[in-house]
Amino acid sequence: MTITASIQSAVPEITVEDRAARLTDAGNAWAERIDANRSNAHLNYAVEGIGAGSVATTVRAGKHSFVVDEPAVLAGDDIGSSPVEYALGALVGCQVVVYRLYAQQLGIPFDDIVIRAEADLDAARLFGADESVRAGFSEVRLDIEISGPETNERYDELREAVDAHCPVLDIFQNPTPVKTTVIRA
């Protein structure tokens, strides 16, 4: 498994035992909240993007911010990942979280996990050259690499649980209603 050192150094180190405790504690706390009042499970997320540069966007999400841009071939300055790369990154990130959560919950340990996402997009629709093709991805492929002591059957059981419970995978697999309002400033 290969993870670049620069990415790893930005993320705090945690022991397997501490991760297990955090996952168990979070799962128990959420179960209590939801049991006490089902509406406690309803979360709301909001981000704001402000156009910058050629086609870049500075995005604020809670206390975090990041830049979304395009490569030069798509009129960008290539100062950040593209919107579709962030979408794939969101899917990969959510998958890692849910793999860890359900591994802990189901007692299916693993040592390391690397998830790779690859997708195909036909830019003809984006540029108005072919309205018959989909504007978004035509296919997304996830490769999950897990190392650990369990059998392939147990890791298949884990994958099935993750597939059934991953919120971002659900967004990719199922239509989500989107309401758009344009407000003139």
Side-chain angles (χ1 to χ4, degrees), residues 20-153:
R22 286 175 71 174
L23 288 165
T24 299
D25 291 348
N28 290 340
W30 273 101
E32 289 176 18
R33 275 188 220 118
I34 294 167
D35 286 346
N37 183 344
R38 178 63 181 85
S39 67
N40 286 337
H42 297 204
L43 305 175
N44 179 271
Y45 292 89
V47 300
E48 179 180 75
I50 300 170
S54 179
V55 296
T57 306
T58 301
V59 178
R60 266 194 325 215
K63 65 180 182 176
H64 305 284
S65 64
F66 54 93
V67 174
V68 178
D69 199 8
E70 294 284 0
V73 69
L74 292 173
D77 296 308
D78 205 13
I79 59 171
S81 298
S82 74
V84 294
E85 289 168 327
Y86 272 109
L88 290 175
L91 177 57
V92 166
C94 195
Q95 286 272 295
V96 168
V97 169
V98 180
Y99 264 90
R100 287 182 169 159
L101 177 67
Y102 275 87
Q104 182 66 29
Q105 191 173 66
L106 298 172
I108 303 175
F110 62 83
D111 299 323
D112 292 308
I113 186 166
V114 175
I115 300 179
R116 292 173 196 85
E118 185 177 321
D120 302 315
L121 189 141
D122 187 337
R125 177 72 177 258
L126 171 65
F127 291 103
D130 186 350
E131 296 297 316
S132 70
V133 298
R134 185 174 176 175
F137 295 133
S138 59
E139 181 179 81
V140 175
R141 293 170 297 283
L142 291 175
D143 291 322
I144 295 100
E145 185 179 329
I146 294 180
S147 65
E150 291 294 336
T151 65
N152 288 341
E153 292 76 22

